[in-house]
Amino acid sequence: MNRAEDEAGAAMSEPYLTEVGWAGSALRVAGAIRRDDDLPAAPEMELLLRERDGDGLLRLPASVGAENGLVTFEALVDVASVERGEPLPGGLWDVGLAIGAPPEGRVVDLGPERAPGLDTSPQRRFLPGAVTVAAYFGGRGTLSIDVGGRSHVAGTTSADGVAWDERRAEVVITGHIDRRWLSMPVSGTLILTERDTRRTFEVIAALEETDDRLGYRAALPVTRAFVDDPLPRGTWDVSLCLGFSGMHRELGVLAPEGTVDVQVWRRLRHVRVSSSSAPDPLAITVGRA
């Protein structure tokens, strides 16, 4: 067997999702793994919920079955009563699957591999106390559960380019996202957060959809030539916020290879405007060396 066949065989044993949907306050997660020699007919499985910004870890039972050479699994995440009658705590929880008993078992993220036609749009529920819960696929295609609706950075995306528009005196940021990872958003916003003060500055990101990618383009004004509110002085970290019918997903933007480094005329003096370069996160600096 050659290397390509080895890799294809390894890929076949990765779990893929066949269903993600709400039934009341319970999120039903179902999927399958193609059976190979390394996978028992009925392996032990658990659904793992790992807190993105903390050390929370919840293990939930998963039922296992067999069907047409596949090992199937199913689990319910009752966010209103996930453990000892308590609701799932507020925050962002990444969903994984533990296959086999520790320490020999392995844990894999759920989401990047999916059955054709699986709905990838964010799915929301409202719990008592006006708590919003959403299940959605993040920047790397992984499944997450967001309790409370607070703003979270759900992965990263690399910008394709950062360029200087001499005519309009704007920094233009362009990029794209693989359309396999998300449904079409209804809006896009580039959010810049000043590194020291945490002040934010927002501009509209124009979106363009094709069969396999979602392109975005945003222009940052840095002088008063065309607008009254240019990007203030400071170092600004860049993220892309996509809106989906009542909820948002925020992706950190990684810098491309090319950079911008120009002097602009502002308030009767020249001010330097520059950008970071790959592999660092994208940041725009105004008025600093």
Side-chain angles (χ1 to χ4, degrees), residues 126-150:
F126 299 96
L127 301 182
V131 176
T132 302
V133 181
Y136 66 92
F137 294 96
R140 294 181 295 110
T142 55
L143 179 63
S144 298
I145 302 173
D146 187 349
V147 182
R150 297 193 302 271

Side-chain angles (χ1 to χ4, degrees), residues 75-242:
L76 292 176
V77 183
D78 188 349
V79 295
S81 180
V82 71
E83 188 177 44
R84 296 188 295 274
E86 295 295 325
L88 186 63
L92 189 62
W93 297 82
D94 295 318
V95 182
L97 183 69
I99 306 171
E104 293 82 8
R106 63 190 180 111
V107 177
V108 294
D109 292 327
L110 287 178
E113 302 295 333
R114 309 173 194 145
L118 181 69
D119 185 7
T120 60
S121 60
Q123 301 184 45
R124 292 181 297 161
R125 277 293 183 271
F126 299 96
L127 301 182
V131 176
T132 302
V133 181
Y136 66 92
F137 294 96
R140 294 181 295 110
T142 55
L143 179 63
S144 298
I145 302 173
D146 187 349
V147 182
R150 297 193 302 271
S151 178
H152 299 281
V153 176
T156 59
T157 180
S158 296
D160 294 332
V162 177
W164 174 245
D165 185 331
E166 179 71 31
R167 184 178 66 86
R168 297 185 60 86
E170 295 175 334
V171 176
V172 179
I173 299 172
T174 56
H176 74 278
I177 302 169
D178 192 326
R179 280 283 285 112
R180 294 175 300 174
W181 287 354
L182 78 170
S183 58
M184 181 62 186
V186 297
S187 65
T189 305
L190 208 67
I191 301 177
L192 293 92
T193 303
E194 210 288 315
R195 195 166 290 174
D196 295 328
T197 65
R198 309 311 296 171
R199 176 184 179 185
T200 60
F201 185 95
E202 299 183 4
V203 295
I204 294 173
L207 303 178
E208 181 179 3
E209 182 185 24
T210 63
D211 289 340
D212 60 353
R213 56 191 278 166
L214 171 69
Y216 63 89
R217 182 185 187 279
L220 302 176
V222 294
T223 77
R224 295 184 182 275
F226 293 95
V227 294
D228 293 329
D229 187 21
L231 185 65
R233 288 174 175 265
T235 297
W236 300 83
D237 296 313
V238 181
S239 62
L240 176 67
C241 184
L242 301 175

